[in-house]
Amino acid sequence: MAEIRTADTRERILDAGERLFMAHGYEGTSMRLITSEAAVNLAAVNYHFGSKESLIQEVFRRRLDWLNEERMRVLVEMEDAAAGKPLKPSQIVDGFFGTLLRMADDEERGGVTFLRLLGRTLTEPSEFIRTFLAHEYATVMDRYKEAFFKALPDVPKAEIVWRFHFMLGATSYAIAGTDALASGD
Amino acid sequence: MAEIRTADTRERILDAGERLFMAHGYEGTSMRLITSEAAVNLAAVNYHFGSKESLIQEVFRRRLDWLNEERMRVLVEMEDAAAGKPLKPSQIVDGFFGTLLRMADDEERGGVTFLRLLGRTLTEPSEFIRTFLAHEYATVMDRYKEAFFKALPDVPKAEIVWRFHFMLGATSYAIAGTDALASGD
DNA sequence: GTCTATATCATGATAGAC
DNA sequence: GTCTATCATGATATAGAC
């Protein structure tokens, strides 16, 4: 015996939080909702994470650490293989967005749920979350921007940044999948 | 004398609501914040609009009524001018997105503030808002989709719908302007 | 129409027994 | 580590004086 039993309270809170923050946003998700969904006690969130703010940051960090490393790994690998020659822009795009989309198939890494949460969070109203996200992203974003600059030496940098923005917006909106305009088909 | 004085309580609430919902989202904006910002009494929102839900719907309707009519007017005008010949896709794009972007310069119609609110609301967590927006948009969206179908008879309809989605996502994200990835430039 | 005052409820957080 | 019980606060909404 010696039953594992707990099935990890911490992890269950993170899973429930991820799903509920995705569905209702940060402000719209109460800790009562999270803990009842996770079938743990209300006080458990504060015990394990300290606060609701710290909880959502941990929800993101759990997935982003891997995503950041993977994106970086893929980029460096491509650059090494190219041996000094410039990468094709499509390669860089695939390194950034392809890596993200492959998370959708990986339930261990959050799957579609986390992808949607991430997509919606780019326009999340709560400022501390956007700030936190920007900070988490900063290093990798800068590396990819540099890669684009090198791959497209004739395109003004500001133009590249805009294109990156547009791709990111299109992707995140498609992923968020809110279907605000579904109308009737 | 006979002082106008009130400067329209109703309008002041709508203006404050528009700005604050844009900045903090629906759940993140309390009625106390709105009424204090608008320098009106707390009870005024319920008196004039009935509830917080009705208030935000009115915030949208005030602007969308005009936008919907204008988008429709522009499209019909182009179709009439074409006299049966198919429109160029770029014309349709301009009718839809150009009309929207021209609102940014029109302070009377909400300007940049409303545009940002609209952009962020496409991924708004509160479901009743997305449902409301989808309903408000439905008629015009369907008309524009039809126009694209006619203008691009060789492109599968599902493909056109996806492209529309991507444009919308890219636009709304650029407009929302949260700069979640600004990092350091 | 606008105010004050208040009802009612849900929230995030914590203290303290087990 | 996990529970119950509770605090303090802030939320939406409304009743009723002016």
Side-chain angles (χ1 to χ4, degrees), chain B residues 59-76:
Chain B
V59 165
F60 279 108
R61 212 180 327 255
R62 177 170 72 145
R63 309 297 189 192
L64 288 183
D65 281 354
W66 178 86
L67 179 61
N68 280 334
E69 283 170 29
E70 184 67 7
R71 276 175 165 166
M72 208 63 119
R73 191 187 66 72
V74 168
L75 181 60
V76 169

Side-chain angles (χ1 to χ4, degrees), chain A residues 121-160:
Chain A
T121 305
L122 291 184
T123 56
E124 164 71 43
S126 299
E127 198 180 320
F128 86 92
I129 300 179
R130 291 202 312 273
T131 307
F132 167 77
L133 252 202
H135 180 262
E136 287 286 300
Y137 259 159
T139 308
V140 174
M141 281 296 293
D142 280 345
R143 268 302 264 106
Y144 269 83
K145 271 197 251 176
E146 287 301 328
F148 275 123
F149 293 162
K150 277 181 205 140
L152 299 163
D154 298 334
V155 181
K157 293 187 177 182
E159 171 74 20
I160 291 177

Side-chain angles (χ1 to χ4, degrees), chain B residues 30-32 42 46 51-52:
Chain B
S30 70
M31 288 173 45
R32 282 172 164 80
L42 171 60
N46 290 91
S51 69
K52 191 187 173 187

Side-chain angles (χ1 to χ4, degrees), chain A residues 23-25 27-28 120 122-123 125 130 134 137-138 141-142 145 162 165-166 168-170 173-174 176 178-183 185, chain B residues 23-25 27-28 120 122-123 125 130 134 137-138 141-142 145 162 165-166 168-170 173-174 176 178-183 185:
Chain A
H24 309 116
E27 304 273 2
R120 292 190 187 180
L122 291 184
T123 56
R130 291 202 312 273
Y137 259 159
M141 281 296 293
D142 280 345
K145 271 197 251 176
W162 271 111
H165 263 72
F166 280 127
L168 206 83
Y173 179 69
T178 48
D179 260 345
L181 348 147
S183 56
D185 39 270
Chain B
H24 309 116
E27 303 274 2
R120 292 189 187 180
L122 292 184
T123 54
R130 291 203 313 271
Y137 258 160
M141 280 297 293
D142 281 346
K145 272 196 250 175
W162 271 110
H165 261 73
F166 281 127
L168 205 84
Y173 178 68
T178 48
D179 260 344
L181 350 147
S183 55
D185 37 273

Side-chain angles (χ1 to χ4, degrees), chain A:
Chain A
M1 319 296 148
E3 292 282 283
I4 317 280
R5 220 354 322 285
T6 44
D8 216 8
T9 298
R10 222 186 112 91
E11 214 71 15
R12 288 228 307 282
I13 294 174
L14 288 171
D15 288 342
E18 184 171 76
R19 219 174 46 72
L20 291 167
F21 286 137
M22 180 273 282
H24 309 116
Y26 177 73
E27 304 273 2
T29 305
S30 70
M31 289 173 43
R32 282 172 164 79
L33 190 60
I34 296 171
T35 50
S36 88
E37 181 84 10
V40 302
N41 191 270
L42 171 61
V45 169
N46 290 90
Y47 176 77
H48 286 283
F49 303 95
S51 69
K52 192 186 172 187
E53 288 204 5
S54 300
L55 168 60
I56 195 170
Q57 292 185 355
E58 197 51 38
V59 166
F60 279 108
R61 214 183 322 256
R62 176 170 71 144
R63 310 296 189 193
L64 288 182
D65 281 354
W66 178 86
L67 179 62
N68 280 334
E69 283 170 29
E70 183 67 7
R71 276 175 165 165
M72 208 63 119
R73 191 188 64 73
V74 168
L75 182 61
V76 169
E77 192 174 285
M78 290 188 298
E79 285 174 338
D80 286 353
K85 291 203 293 186
L87 294 176
K88 279 188 292 185
S90 64
Q91 285 182 289
I92 308 174
V93 168
D94 185 69
F96 194 85
F97 293 99
T99 301
L100 180 72
L101 294 177
R102 281 186 283 277
M103 279 184 89
D105 297 324
D106 191 345
E107 222 53 51
E108 291 297 303
R109 308 248 173 260
V112 174
T113 303
F114 179 71
L115 240 62
R116 286 197 172 170
L117 173 61
L118 193 57
R120 292 190 187 180
T121 305
L122 291 184
T123 56
E124 164 71 43
S126 299
E127 198 180 320
F128 86 92
I129 300 179
R130 291 202 312 273
T131 307
F132 167 77
L133 252 202
H135 180 262
E136 287 286 300
Y137 259 159
T139 308
V140 174
M141 281 296 293
D142 280 345
R143 268 302 264 106
Y144 269 83
K145 271 197 251 176
E146 287 301 328
F148 275 123
F149 293 162
K150 277 181 205 140
L152 299 163
D154 298 334
V155 181
K157 293 187 177 182
E159 171 74 20
I160 291 177
V161 171
W162 271 111
R163 291 185 196 176
F164 208 166
H165 263 72
F166 280 127
M167 284 197 63
L168 206 83
T171 307
S172 81
Y173 179 69
I175 286 170
T178 48
D179 260 345
L181 348 147
S183 56
D185 39 270

